[in-house]
Amino acid sequence: MSTGTGEGETAPDGESESENPPVRRLSAWDAADLEELAATYETPLYVMDLGRVRENCRRLREAFPDADVRYAAKAHTGRAVFEAVRQEGLGIECASAGEVERAFAAGASGSEVQYTAVNPPDGDLDLVVQRWEDDPDLTVTVGARDTVERLRERGFDGRLCVRVNPGVGAGHHAKVTTGGHAKFGVPYSEAESVVLDARDDFDVVGIHAHAGSGISGDDLSAHREVVRRMGDLARAVEEETDLEFVDVGGGFGVPYREDEPALDLPAVAEATREALGDVDAQLAVEPGRYVVADAGVLLATVNTVKESEEYETVVGIDAGMTTLLRPAMYDAYHAIRNLSAGEDRNATSVTVAGPICETSDVLCEHRPLAAPARGDVLAVGNAGAYGYEMASTYNSRPRPAEVVLDPEPRLARRRESLAALTELEQ
């Protein structure tokens, strides 16, 4: 199945330039192929192109040739995606015990898995420690002295990384700017002490910090400052003990709007190396969004078209905030395309809304779109990151199905049934 092409840089493995652009726009997806998938699997439907996932992994490894590149699992935890990133040589960074279990289920070994504990529930620590007992190469990252003590109480004495709050944050929205929020990491002023205190009971292998999610060229100064502080900390710690890696997180942004340029990843990589400076430890990065965002689209069907004085035309679809939360949660922009509209349909200003009983259940407002009609199939771009992952069953709506292109389409996740929504009830 053809998934479309765009313009861009030279691709690996003999691919032409047009097959591996620095970003895949929604216009590059083949409309007929996507409509066929919608007809075959019904909507709402997520579509993930594993070939594009692999291309993005290769681009990262080329930009950071000497770094340990780990995929931030929370962006998309599908087994097919995990398998694809592992095939490209990336490790997996997990934010929960559930993600750790998914990584192992996808064939990962402990040496490929890093668990980053954020105020971890007891059950998470219990499960991860059990996993470590079977595979001692697993690494646990802690962000509080309490977590260090709780691991000690559980008999864990393995590979430990200390997450630091660098006091500087960046990202596309305040809700994902982690670097400056007290929730994340031990205070920078205490980090060296925490590392050195943990040496006697653990194998302290690294330090970690993360500025935020969706970092673009506009806020690289904050990213550089985080990395610079981590370099300073690493040099101070290395006077007392050896470190295996300095992890500066990920958060590399993608252009959600059609007119935004692609991230200059080589420039980001060079700025990261320069800011880190001379350290004995290996640089580590944890991209998530960059790997999967433009590898995914969401397909939805128009069910209602009505005129409104305030909103001109309101277009109702069968996907809403329970399918794709980002617009309601972050006021996020996603490109939308009418796959069913021919050249004879003029663009009209529309508001695209879902079926959820919330005013926030709107994917866009006052957006030009080829005039929709009932039964048309719409595609929502850059839906591969934090799309399916943030789906919910609010309003008792089952979660959608997901198809992967590998390169031919196959069903990766079945559509949730109404019966499944009540399975846990007693």
Side-chain angles (χ1 to χ4, degrees), residues 258-331:
E258 297 91 332
D259 58 352
E260 291 178 342
L263 183 69
D264 188 345
L265 189 62
V268 172
E270 181 60 27
T272 300
R273 287 187 288 266
E274 289 181 358
L276 183 64
D278 185 19
V279 296
D280 295 332
Q282 182 183 26
L283 171 67
V285 293
E286 298 173 351
R289 182 190 312 273
Y290 189 91
V291 174
V292 293
D294 71 353
V297 295
L298 170 64
L299 305 181
T301 300
V302 174
N303 54 50
T304 305
V305 179
K306 64 179 179 180
E307 301 305 316
S308 165
E309 290 183 4
E310 181 180 0
Y311 287 97
E312 294 122 345
T313 301
V314 176
V315 179
I317 60 174
D318 59 2
M321 61 185 285
T322 57
T323 320
L324 179 65
L325 181 61
R326 296 189 72 254
M329 182 79 167
Y330 306 120
D331 295 322

Side-chain angles (χ1 to χ4, degrees), residues 386-410:
Y386 307 103
Y388 193 98
E389 286 308 303
M390 300 181 81
S392 75
T393 59
Y394 179 50
N395 275 191
S396 290
R397 294 198 175 275
R399 288 173 293 183
E402 182 179 52
V403 167
V404 295
L405 308 177
D406 193 25
E408 295 304 310
R410 61 182 172 86

Side-chain angles (χ1 to χ4, degrees), residues 142 145 148 152 160-164 186-208 230 233-234 236-238 240-243 245:
V142 296
R145 289 183 185 271
V148 176
R152 186 180 284 115
L160 191 78
C161 173
V162 175
R163 181 168 184 169
V164 181
V186 301
Y188 186 84
S189 61
E190 299 178 21
E192 184 177 356
S193 169
V194 173
V195 169
L196 298 180
D197 288 349
R199 288 180 303 170
D200 294 339
D201 297 323
F202 305 92
D203 180 14
V204 180
V205 294
I207 53 176
H208 171 286
M230 293 302 289
L233 178 61
V237 169
E238 285 176 341
E240 301 288 340
T241 189
D242 294 332
L243 291 177
F245 61 83

Side-chain angles (χ1 to χ4, degrees), residues 221-251:
S221 60
H223 174 69
R224 285 195 195 95
E225 180 60 17
V226 168
V227 177
R228 185 193 67 77
R229 294 186 184 193
M230 293 302 289
D232 289 345
L233 178 61
R235 283 181 284 276
V237 169
E238 285 176 341
E239 293 181 0
E240 301 288 340
T241 189
D242 294 332
L243 291 177
E244 186 179 302
F245 61 83
V246 179
D247 188 338
V248 297

Side-chain angles (χ1 to χ4, degrees), residues 34 56 143 181 192 368 385:
L34 292 178
N56 289 338
H181 198 289
E192 184 177 356

